Amino acid sequence: MANKEQTIKYLQAIVTGLSQQALGHDIQSKIFNSKGFKKLAEKYAEHAVEERGYVDQCIDRILDLGGEVKNEAKPEAKVCTNPIDWIKYDLQVSIDGLKFLEEVLEATKGDYTTYDILKDYYKDEEEDMYWAEQQLELIECIGTQNWIINQI
């Protein structure tokens, strides 16, 4: 089995960071909804729910491992009113998060329960990265105004 204390530290980092991301996605959803971008609002609201599900799983796993869950301070995160700026920012968050998750997956591969939780989270984050890349390519191809119209 992987080092239990290190696994708990990794899981806590995910709980802290991902709960911040979920809140950020809720905020962005509300901003996009207020601007009439209903599709983006729905996407990010659903994404926040998914992230909270992974947070819950990580909290449960910390407790299963005998760890203590902390409600740590979360760093300030970016908020955007421009949807394209947000997608670019969120893409970078996904890229950075996947690098971190690769390290965590390698460190926890002997702890099958934790590994399975994080492997599923990795797949979800990777899908988010591909979606953001696809949207930016689409914007490049059809133009900003056409893309924005599709988000209404």
Side-chain angles (χ1 to χ4, degrees):
M1 179 179 218
N3 178 319
K4 189 163 64 167
E5 286 74 31
Q6 185 62 41
T7 297
I8 291 168
K9 286 180 185 177
Y10 280 134
L11 290 168
Q12 180 62 56
I14 292 168
V15 167
T16 301
L18 195 53
S19 60
Q20 175 72 359
Q21 275 185 265
L23 177 59
H25 286 137
D26 275 336
I27 291 168
Q28 287 303 145
S29 174
K30 298 220 181 278
I31 290 170
F32 294 149
N33 191 54
S34 75
K35 293 182 166 294
F37 302 132
K38 301 295 183 202
K39 290 180 184 176
L40 283 177
E42 289 172 9
K43 162 117 180 107
Y44 284 107
E46 290 170 5
H47 195 53
V49 170
E50 288 175 358
E51 289 169 331
R52 284 194 182 89
Y54 288 114
V55 168
D56 288 346
Q57 289 179 54
C58 289
I59 289 170
D60 290 343
R61 188 63 183 148
I62 290 170
L63 295 172
D64 289 345
L65 293 171
E68 180 180 324
V69 180
K70 299 173 185 147
N71 188 3
E72 297 174 322
K74 295 154 186 77
E76 182 178 343
K78 186 172 187 165
V79 175
C80 295
T81 57
N82 180 306
I84 298 168
D85 290 343
W86 173 256
I87 290 173
K88 288 176 183 177
Y89 169 76
D90 205 37
L91 172 60
Q92 190 59 54
V93 169
S94 290
I95 291 168
D96 295 343
L98 286 169
K99 286 179 190 173
F100 173 71
L101 282 173
E102 287 171 8
E103 175 187 331
V104 176
L105 283 166
E106 182 63 31
T108 61
K109 66 183 174 187
D111 174 354
Y112 301 117
T113 303
T114 301
Y115 185 85
D116 284 347
I117 292 167
L118 298 179
K119 182 179 69 173
D120 289 343
Y121 172 45
Y122 184 95
K123 288 178 185 177
D124 184 63
E125 196 63 31
E126 187 178 53
E127 287 174 15
D128 295 336
M129 180 189 71
Y130 291 144
W131 180 87
E133 288 174 339
Q134 179 187 46
Q135 297 310 300
L136 293 172
E137 289 170 5
L138 193 57
I139 291 163
E140 188 71 30
C141 182
I142 67 172
T144 301
Q145 293 307 315
N146 289 327
W147 181 83
I148 286 177
I149 288 169
N150 285 322
Q151 304 310 313
I152 296 175

